[in-house]
Amino acid sequence: MSFQSYISGTGSYLPERILTNADLEKMVETNDAWIFERTGIVSRHIAAPTEATSDMAYGASMQALTAAGITAKDLDAIIVGTITGDQIMPSVACLLQARLGCRSIMAFDLAAACSGFLYGASVADQFIKSGMFRHILVIGAETLSRIVDYTDRQTCILFGDAAGAAVVSRVAAGNSSRIYSSHLGSNGALGDLLSIRGGGSRTPFSQEVLDQKLHLVHMKGREVFKSAVRSICDRAQEAMTANGMKVEDVDWFVVHQANQRIMEAVGQLLNVPVEKQLHNIRETGNTSSASIPVLFNESVRSNKIKRGDTVLMASFGGGLTSGAMLIKY
Ligand code: COA
């Protein structure tokens, strides 16, 4: 017996508070024109002080469950891609398992930074294809505002908070929607380009960690930029080649919203017409693992991505990690 999987429903959550470029001008030496020209970002959403990653993930999950036409009791597993869990233990996935009222199912977080959603969706795909599970909730959720240094103008302009969710389900007879394949990669040798060094087992929390801001994101922007373009293109090309497809066969490209110029460079290198490239970075900034599922969900709800469309998702992030997934929605 062979099984296929597909995305049966999606959801997203953006916190209410908006941080604009004008707000950032009052916080660091920067200006709206510079930020927009170099990144394409105008504003980003920031979680309320009482809001944590699992709260946003819950909002996105409820929408995704409704869209998939199932309840939390139908879920066989929860996978959350995040690097900003509510706390080190328990995982966001376990917090959600309780809050959603699921059965005693498999639930875990995975750490693949901005590629977390595609890594999670790929794991879900395998569990469905093996015949073991029918419905898996996959989430990308980040409260990056808690790990961003708001005195570092190179990084604080980029990031925002959000959660995106998708239910990955077993395909029933007669349904042609499916996940064709996923292609994941990593390059740990370049891990230092984008890192949070303090607060782990190598350099546990201490006054020194706080003083040196080692618990916050450090980034070598230019090098990250180059590596991002290369790996997104490589993974996306692998996905098309593996399925005998060309750019013409893909209806929509959903690329991790890291920087408008990264997406433009990817679009040029792969020869993707601009009308096939979906974006929301202008209003969200880079939301790491939430970026792809949020953009995907918004595009479904605004009637751009429709059932039957072929969609290529591709990501890049800290690790360094990268991934692509080709689907028929
Ligand atoms: N406002 C104004 N000036 C700024 C600035 C800001 N927010 N940030 C940096 N600058 C200045 C720099 O100090 C530098 O000044 P100098 O020429 O006097 O030294 C100049 O602008 C150019 O800096 P540089 O870092 O080379 O700019 P850039 O074109 O590479 O853009 C990023 C910086 C961060 C926007 C860009 O490198 C980037 O987006 N990289 C990828 C980051 C990313 O996607 N990370 C997440 C991956 S998942």
Side-chain angles (χ1 to χ4, degrees):
M1 196 91 177
S2 81
F3 300 98
Q4 294 290 337
S5 76
Y6 78 114
I7 294 182
S8 56
T10 60
S12 58
Y13 178 93
L14 292 166
E16 222 173 277
R17 188 183 150 212
I18 291 170
L19 182 71
T20 64
N21 290 351
D23 297 329
L24 284 165
E25 283 178 6
K26 295 177 201 133
M27 297 159 69
V28 285
E29 179 79 40
T30 190
N31 60 78
D32 172 50
W34 192 97
I35 300 174
F36 185 64
E37 249 167 54
R38 302 286 176 122
T39 69
I41 302 168
V42 169
S43 58
R44 52 307 275 139
H45 292 252
I46 302 292
T50 50
E51 226 167 10
T53 298
S54 73
D55 301 319
M56 296 191 292
Y58 178 79
S61 301
M62 291 305 287
Q63 256 191 21
L65 289 169
T66 304
I70 62 167
T71 71
K73 296 262 185 279
D74 299 314
L75 288 174
D76 298 308
I78 302 175
I79 305 172
V80 181
T82 189
I83 53 160
T84 49
D86 296 29
Q87 48 198 67
I88 295 194
M89 191 169 64
S91 65
V92 173
C94 284
L95 295 172
L96 277 176
Q97 181 269 340
R99 188 155 166 198
L100 289 168
C102 301
R103 291 176 283 114
S104 128
I105 54 175
M106 174 177 96
F108 66 94
D109 291 359
L110 65 82
C114 307
S115 303
F117 175 76
L118 289 186
Y119 266 60
S122 172
V123 173
D125 179 40
Q126 304 310 315
F127 270 106
I128 303 276
K129 282 191 172 136
S130 75
M132 192 159 175
F133 292 148
R134 276 173 194 273
H135 298 291
I136 303 178
L137 179 62
V138 181
I139 294 158
E142 303 285 9
T143 318
L144 295 175
S145 58
R146 306 272 151 76
I147 55 160
V148 163
D149 179 358
Y150 283 99
T151 64
D152 174 11
R153 67 177 182 174
Q154 213 214 10
T155 51
C156 74
I157 56 156
L158 292 172
F159 299 106
D161 301 334
V167 178
V168 177
S169 302
R170 182 189 291 180
V171 170
N175 182 354
S176 66
S177 295
R178 67 202 51 220
I179 292 177
Y180 290 119
S181 65
S182 45
H183 304 265
L184 308 177
S186 65
N187 187 356
L190 296 182
D192 276 349
L193 297 186
L194 188 52
S195 64
I196 300 171
R197 293 195 300 276
S201 57
R202 171 87 48 207
T203 314
F205 264 117
S206 65
Q207 191 56 48
E208 206 184 329
V209 165
L210 286 173
D211 293 344
Q212 294 182 16
K213 297 186 174 174
L214 297 180
H215 59 302
L216 302 176
V217 172
H218 287 255
M219 183 182 77
K220 295 189 178 132
R222 279 199 172 183
E223 288 96 322
V224 170
F225 192 108
K226 283 187 224 149
S227 190
V229 173
R230 216 170 25 242
S231 12
I232 292 172
C233 287
D234 286 352
R235 295 294 90 74
Q237 193 55 62
E238 277 166 28
M240 288 188 281
T241 306
N243 294 284
M245 288 194 197
K246 297 202 168 71
V247 168
E248 303 85 272
D249 304 311
V250 179
D251 296 303
W252 302 107
F253 286 76
V254 178
V255 171
H256 169 45
Q257 305 288 292
N259 180 322
Q260 185 67 30
R261 289 189 299 134
I262 292 179
M263 295 178 268
E264 282 166 9
V266 167
Q268 275 166 16
L269 284 165
L270 294 176
N271 268 320
V272 179
V274 283
E275 56 278 12
K276 286 189 176 190
Q277 300 175 32
L278 296 170
H279 304 295
N280 66 357
I281 191 167
R282 196 185 151 96
E283 285 85 29
T284 61
N286 178 346
T287 60
S288 188
S289 66
S291 145
I292 287 181
V294 169
L295 177 56
F296 191 101
N297 177 55
E298 287 178 352
S299 306
V300 166
R301 284 168 197 268
S302 63
N303 238 356
K304 280 189 180 140
I305 298 180
K306 298 187 186 63
R307 283 286 169 202
D309 286 355
T310 300
V311 184
L312 179 49
M313 296 174 263
S315 71
F316 166 88
L320 301 175
T321 58
S322 56
M325 178 174 269
L326 190 60
I327 67 162
K328 181 170 181 180
Y329 177 59

